[in-house]
Amino acid sequence: MESPFKPDILRGKVALLTGGGSGIGFELSTQFGKHGASIAIMGRRKNVIHDAVSVLQSLGIPAVGFEGDVRKPEDARRVVEATVEKFGKLDILVNAAAGNFLVPAEDLSPNGFKTVMDIDSVGTFTMCHQALKYLKKGGPGKDSSTGGFILNISATLHYTASWYQIHVSAAKAAVDALTRNLALEWGTDHDIRVNGIAPGPIGDTTGMSKLLPKEINDGGYETMPLYKVGEKWDIAMAAIYLASVAGYKRNDPHC
Ligand code: HXC
């Protein structure tokens, strides 16, 4: 499909994406890169990062990969700093790393619950916290007129309730709360735009193959209003809009 955006709409931007080597995260890495951004990917699996960076580079996208776990503050700091060292600044942080498995609440250990909270919620906050000094207006490598952008990838599981997803529902609800609170505080104080996207079921992702029944993964979409699930491309285009100069610019009341 052809992008509705100008191919250079993210030209000159530097983006760091956790979980950017697979699933929705990789589609975002690819589309951000195709629209002009330089891409840094952070993930736990060395081979996944390596393969993803190779694909991006084969498309002519300036790309680098860093092994790291968002649960470890020292990894978060190291990867943020390495990104700035490589590309000179940081404009965009995408938090797409997530952990998930189906388990009934009564069989889920507190540590299993905590593990997903640590990846999705605490990991998102940790990355935002480490990136703040680079994303804020006037931060290293940035001009003094505009701050950066944070995009948190959430889900819709917690809007009602979802079978065997108590840990992920709690974690994604926390991510949504982080998004709103950082948008308020860091939008006001630092001109950093903080947005979230909450995808429903998206085809060709680990989340979908792990979580949804086999008949849906096999294409049984009769019960769905549009007779399809979402596509990674849909999420990427929404993300480009939000990341671009078109998305929610701040008005300066003093101008
Ligand atoms: C029950 C489990 C479990 C399972 C792990 N645990 N897997 N409990 N059922 N299947 C428990 C363990 O018993 C342990 O608790 C604790 O969790 C930590 O387990 P580890 O294996 O040591 O953790 P770790 O190696 O760090 O792995 C964490 C992980 C992660 C969350 C399991 O590796 C993972 O799931 N990766 C897959 C990523 C993924 O699926 N991404 C897609 C996200 S999709 P105890 O008490 O035994 O010590 C998404 C979108 C959702 O988020 C929306 C879709 C519609």
Side-chain angles (χ1 to χ4, degrees):
M1 260 182 296
E2 197 181 325
S3 165
F5 300 105
K6 288 183 183 167
D8 64 349
I9 194 165
L10 298 180
R11 187 179 57 199
K13 301 288 183 194
V14 175
L16 167 60
L17 301 95
T18 71
S22 62
I24 291 172
F26 182 59
E27 183 71 12
L28 264 57
S29 298
T30 307
Q31 295 298 339
F32 278 23
K34 282 185 171 179
H35 287 78
S38 299
I39 303 298
I41 288 174
M42 175 178 180
R44 279 187 293 160
R45 293 169 296 170
K46 197 175 187 173
N47 59 326
V48 171
I49 297 169
H50 176 270
D51 293 351
V53 168
S54 299
V55 172
L56 295 177
Q57 288 176 343
S58 74
L59 294 168
I61 296 167
V64 65
F66 300 110
E67 210 178 329
D69 188 333
V70 296
R71 288 173 288 187
K72 297 179 181 161
E74 64 275 19
D75 284 12
R77 181 182 304 114
R78 173 178 51 78
V79 171
V80 168
E81 286 176 358
T83 301
V84 174
E85 198 170 305
K86 168 79 180 167
F87 293 121
K89 60 174 182 160
L90 181 65
D91 300 299
I92 298 169
L93 170 67
V94 178
N95 290 296
N100 205 343
F101 45 83
L102 277 178
V103 61
E106 66 179 85
D107 297 331
L108 176 64
S109 71
N111 190 46
F113 184 92
K114 179 176 178 298
T115 297
V116 173
M117 292 295 290
D118 281 348
I119 297 170
D120 294 22
S121 322
V122 184
T124 293
F125 181 73
T126 301
M127 291 302 301
C128 292
H129 204 256
Q130 294 296 346
L132 171 61
K133 78 171 179 188
Y134 297 104
L135 291 174
K136 62 169 68 167
K137 187 165 69 173
K142 300 186 76 61
D143 67 43
S144 56
S145 63
T146 328
F149 172 63
I150 295 173
L151 176 63
N152 294 331
I153 304 298
S154 176
T156 57
L157 302 164
H158 53 292
Y159 291 178
T160 52
S162 300
W163 289 101
Y164 313 137
Q165 287 284 274
I166 191 170
H167 45 326
V168 183
S169 298
K172 294 300 195 183
V175 170
D176 285 352
L178 288 177
T179 301
R180 293 191 188 97
N181 282 276
L182 292 182
L184 175 67
E185 291 193 26
W186 291 0
T188 305
D189 294 344
H190 302 303
D191 191 25
I192 297 172
R193 291 176 301 114
V194 187
N195 291 159
I197 296 180
I202 300 296
D204 193 23
T205 59
T206 309
M208 173 128 165
S209 55
K210 265 186 166 178
L211 303 180
L212 292 187
K214 186 173 178 314
E215 52 273 23
I216 291 191
N217 275 299
D218 287 347
Y221 301 146
E222 291 81 5
T223 57
M224 298 196 161
L226 301 182
Y227 304 102
K228 59 170 280 190
V229 290
E231 293 172 27
K232 290 180 280 192
W233 191 87
D234 298 322
I235 307 304
M237 292 304 115
I240 288 175
Y241 166 70
L242 293 170
S244 72
V245 288
Y248 282 100
K249 290 299 290 178
R250 166 186 170 125
N251 258 346
D252 191 335
H254 306 299
C255 282

